[in-house]
Amino acid sequence: MAGTLHDLRLLIISRHPIITIETSEEERALACVRQAVERVSQQCFVWNLVNGLRVAAKEGAGFPQTAKPADVLAYIAKQSWPAVFVMEELCVHLKDATLQQY
């Protein structure tokens, strides 16, 4: 995992706009992302259909009006501060034409 964490941190500080992680171990992957983000002093947010967008370190309800994929992408597009957004299961929604504008 140390190599993975190092590689992920390099991708983040290199400002890659999208990093895809395909895994069956979602909790472990999220823990790795959170560690990498902490090392580069950025905030980490997680989105899913159940909770919407929320701070990764906190459980429970997320930011208002971010449950739908198009709404969360619009919210993220308006942000100007550096952060990492983990989008759980977003790939299922990518054929939606309203998402393609982001």
Side-chain angles (χ1 to χ4, degrees), residues 13-74:
I13 62 175
S14 298
R15 300 181 58 107
H16 282 266
I18 297 175
I19 302 167
T20 303
I21 301 173
E22 190 172 331
T23 183
S24 60
E25 300 180 69
E26 291 180 9
E27 289 183 28
R28 184 174 178 200
L30 181 56
C32 184
V33 170
R34 286 179 58 194
Q35 282 184 325
V37 171
E38 286 174 8
R39 291 185 182 186
V40 297
S41 300
Q42 291 185 13
Q43 278 196 291
C44 185
F45 298 88
V46 177
W47 173 86
N48 62 44
L49 279 173
V50 175
N51 296 312
L53 186 67
R54 63 180 171 80
V55 176
K58 298 181 180 179
E59 294 295 322
F63 292 84
Q65 301 177 351
T66 60
K68 294 179 184 175
D71 293 341
V72 73
L73 292 178

